[in-house]
């Protein structure tokens, strides 16, 4: 994982994000810091629950407390996360978040958060299953390659247009 992230650093350095949004999950924070290292301290970094991994059941998808994470990643803004503990994961108990529930969470993240950000170029660092759902169930994407499964630290660019209906 670390080697893949480091190999993506050159590509990420050529990007011009005005904001980096990252999942609050440890493995994703690590990926973001390694891959987007050249943007640390140059643009704002924000952690957001809306782009995190699937909720419920799988203990590996439960996040640490915001207080603990903030100690390790003081340069990232965690103010959009409402609870110190992982109440989102706990709400699901012994069941996994369904595809419909995940799709609705992703849609809400895009329409209620990303859409209203003032930045034009945003890097979102999240999880392969999340991205697969985003590009195959939430968005209308024709490009077959773009809709395929993401590899560890893989970087793809796309332009999003929000249309009022």
């Amino acid at each position: 994982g670390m080697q893949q992230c480091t190999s993506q650093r050159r590509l990420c350095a050529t990007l011009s994000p005005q904001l980096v949004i990252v999942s609050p999950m440890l493995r994703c924070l690590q990926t973001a810091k390694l891959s987007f290292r050249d943007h640390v301290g140059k643009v704002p970094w924000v952690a957001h629950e809306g782009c995190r991994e699937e909720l419920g059941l799988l203990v590996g998808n439960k996040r640490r407390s915001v207080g603990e994470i903030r100690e390790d990643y003081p340069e990232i803004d965690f103010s959009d996360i409402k609870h110190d503990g992982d109440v989102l994961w706990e709400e699901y108990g012994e069941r996994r978040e369904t595809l419909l529930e995940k799709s609705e969470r992703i849609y809400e993240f895009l329409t209620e958060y990303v859409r209203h950000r003032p930045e034009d170029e945003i890097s979102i660092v999240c999880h392969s299953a999340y991205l697969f759902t985003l590009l195959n169930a939430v968005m209308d994407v024709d490009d077959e390659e773009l809709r395929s499964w993401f590899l560890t630290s893989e970087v793809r660019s796309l332009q999003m247009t929000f249309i009022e209906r």
Side-chain angles (χ1 to χ4, degrees), residues 19 43 56 58 110-111 119 123 133 146 151:
L19 172 70
V43 300
L58 302 175
L110 293 175
T111 60
E119 299 85 3
S123 291
T133 303
L146 189 58
L151 302 176

Side-chain angles (χ1 to χ4, degrees), residues 4 31 33 58 69 83 93-94 100 127 136 141 157:
Q4 288 124 323
T31 295
K33 287 289 296 284
L58 302 175
I69 302 169
H83 303 280
E94 294 299 312
L100 178 60
H127 309 270
N136 287 277
V141 177
S157 293

Side-chain angles (χ1 to χ4, degrees), residues 32-47:
K33 287 289 296 284
L34 290 168
S35 300
F36 284 85
R37 178 179 304 266
D38 298 296
H39 299 289
V40 174
K42 296 179 182 171
V43 300
W45 285 54
V46 175

Side-chain angles (χ1 to χ4, degrees), residues 124-137:
I124 300 174
V125 184
C126 52
H127 309 270
S128 56
Y130 179 97
L131 292 165
F132 190 80
T133 303
L134 167 70
L135 297 169
N136 287 277

Side-chain angles (χ1 to χ4, degrees), residues 72-90:
D72 294 335
Y73 298 92
E75 67 285 351
I76 299 176
D77 178 2
F78 289 89
S79 63
D80 286 321
I81 299 177
K82 306 293 182 235
H83 303 280
D84 186 58
D86 195 353
V87 297
L88 289 178
W89 185 87
E90 292 168 1

